């Protein structure tokens, strides 16, 4: 990332860039920043775009061999090509490419044993765009709010990130809604988040499990029916409950043994969500978590047998959780 930022700042470019990983927002942002840095605004004559696994290589090669028109460089963006997962002719071509051409690859996944990846990593810039930590996300949120004359308490920012889907794209969209909703005042409060933000289902699951831990059957069922109103199917909720208990058990077992980054990687959750899982798993014994997980598996079995309807089955499951 450091080299990428230096290239953008100094306007000196490597022949090839690879932006890969899970965080689509960052990949799009740096893709667009590279394009603007190489060409400036409005120069579409020296820009080519290719997408998908069936890109015609001769056409791509012809575009790369074309000299720029009234510009020092031309830039080619190649997205989701899977060239870094499979064999391709690109690795053999790049050493012959004119030094006036810059290629930017944008990929979801790469194989670091791949010949093309090795070439780019050695001769260009390969940057993995990973999910931000909670601290990084909060800092990013604070910058956006400040730019728009808004602010929120750190505790409110934590609540906001717990409620919304954790991709940066979605976080930005929800911030835009909050900024518009709070026109005329500076501070954004929890009530604003509850009023306008699209709460992710996993956020509701957390709330449901907090209600279960408190033995609040009424609140547990209210949250369940809220999700039904939002057209979430009982089967998808059962899947999420099963996954939730699996993560809680993993986090409980790993607490004190690994740092949050490693725990997030092993449990398959965003780093900033680990603290929330840790806080919640302390409210349940390991034995109760295993019982609830087993009950989810048994309920799914009863669904498949046709012994009970899915909506009623999940409702009875949640009632049993809140009673036990």
């Amino acid at each position: 990332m450091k080299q990428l930022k230096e290239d953008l700042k100094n306007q000196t470019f490597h022949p090839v860039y690879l932006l890969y990983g899970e965080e689509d927002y960052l990949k799009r942002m740096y893709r667009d920043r590279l394009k603007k840095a190489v060409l400036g605004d409005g120069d579409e004559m020296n820009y080519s775009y290719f997408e998908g696994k069936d890109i015609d290589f001769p056409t791509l090669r012809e575009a790369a061999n074309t000299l720029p028109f009234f510009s020092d460089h031309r830039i080619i963006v190649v997205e989701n090509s899977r060239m870094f997962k499979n064999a391709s002719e690109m690795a053999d071509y790049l050493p012959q490419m004119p030094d006036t051409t810059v290629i930017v690859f944008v990929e979801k996944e790469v194989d670091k044993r791949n010949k093309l990846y090795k070439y780019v990593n050695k001769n260009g810039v390969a940057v993995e765009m990973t999910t931000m930590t909670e601290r990084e996300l909060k800092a990013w949120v604070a910058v956006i709010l400040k730019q728009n004359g808004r602010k929120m308490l750190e505790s409110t920012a934590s609540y906001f990130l717990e409620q919304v889907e954790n991709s940066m794209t979605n976080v930005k969209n929800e911030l835009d809604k909050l900024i518009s909703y709070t026109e005329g005042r500076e501070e954004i409060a929890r009530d604003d988040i509850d009023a306008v933000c699209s709460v992710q289902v996993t956020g509701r699951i957390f709330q449901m499990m907090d209600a279960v831990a408190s033995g609040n059957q009424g609140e547990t069922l209210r949250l369940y029916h809220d999700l039904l109103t939002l057209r979430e199917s009982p089967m998808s909720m059962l899947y999420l409950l099963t996954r939730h208990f699996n993560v809680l058990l993993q986090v409980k077992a790993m607490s004190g043994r690994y740092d949050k980054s490693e725990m997030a990687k092993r449990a398959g959750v965003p780093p900033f969500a680990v603290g929330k899982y840790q806080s919640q798993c302390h409210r349940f014994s390991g034995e109760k978590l295993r019982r609830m997980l087993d009950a989810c598996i048994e309920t799914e079995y009863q669904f498949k047998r046709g012994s009970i309807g899915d909506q009623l089955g999940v409702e009875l499951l949640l009632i049993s959780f809140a009673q036990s």
Side-chain angles (χ1 to χ4, degrees), residues 4 18 32 43 61 74 77 83 85-86 93-95 97 99 113 152 161 201 224 233 271 301 316:
L4 175 58
L18 168 62
D32 294 345
D43 182 359
R61 181 179 57 200
R74 64 178 293 104
V77 173
M83 291 182 187
K85 296 280 285 182
N86 305 308
Y93 165 71
L94 285 176
M97 187 175 72
D99 58 12
R113 300 167 298 180
M152 63 172 68
L161 292 174
V201 179
Y224 173 55
S233 73
Y301 175 68
L316 293 174

Side-chain angles (χ1 to χ4, degrees), residues 51-198:
E51 183 179 17
K53 61 183 180 65
D54 296 321
I55 293 170
D56 181 62
F57 177 74
T59 304
L60 173 55
R61 181 179 57 200
E62 182 180 355
N65 283 337
T66 302
L67 295 177
F69 186 72
F70 290 115
S71 175
D72 292 332
H73 296 91
R74 64 178 293 104
I75 188 169
I76 298 173
V77 173
V78 181
E79 295 202 43
N80 303 316
S81 68
R82 297 188 62 81
M83 291 182 187
F84 294 84
K85 296 280 285 182
N86 305 308
S88 76
E89 299 172 82
M90 183 58 71
D92 294 325
Y93 165 71
L94 285 176
Q96 310 164 31
M97 187 175 72
D99 58 12
T100 52
T101 297
V102 176
I103 294 186
V104 180
F105 291 99
V106 183
E107 303 287 337
K108 192 80 168 180
E109 298 177 337
V110 302
D111 182 346
K112 293 184 178 180
R113 300 167 298 180
N114 177 277
K115 183 178 179 180
L116 179 57
Y117 175 85
K118 290 179 179 178
Y119 180 88
V120 174
N121 194 45
K122 180 179 179 181
N123 300 282
V125 178
V127 184
E128 183 176 10
M129 304 294 182
T130 57
T131 305
M132 284 186 171
T133 65
E134 182 176 10
R135 178 179 293 181
E136 290 168 337
L137 265 179
K138 283 182 180 177
W140 181 62
V141 166
V143 168
I144 294 172
L145 292 177
K146 185 176 181 180
Q147 289 171 345
N148 290 274
R150 301 290 191 280
K151 66 180 181 179
M152 63 172 68
L153 296 172
E154 185 175 357
S155 58
T156 306
S158 295
Y159 179 74
F160 169 69
L161 292 174
E162 288 170 3
Q163 302 310 306
V164 302
E165 184 184 334
N166 58 52
S167 74
M168 290 178 70
T169 300
N170 192 70
V171 170
K172 178 63 165 58
N173 289 339
E174 297 302 321
L175 281 176
D176 289 343
K177 287 160 62 176
L178 282 169
I179 290 163
S180 296
Y181 181 73
T182 56
E183 183 68 38
R185 58 189 169 91
E186 186 179 26
E187 184 162 336
I188 294 173
R190 281 194 179 203
D191 288 347
D192 301 319
I193 295 167
D194 292 338
V196 301
C197 288
S198 303

Side-chain angles (χ1 to χ4, degrees), residues 258-277:
Y258 302 101
D259 61 24
K260 286 187 177 181
S261 177
E262 184 63 22
M263 290 168 70
K265 183 178 180 181
R266 288 172 178 258
V269 298
F272 64 81
V274 171
K276 180 68 173 174
Y277 281 105

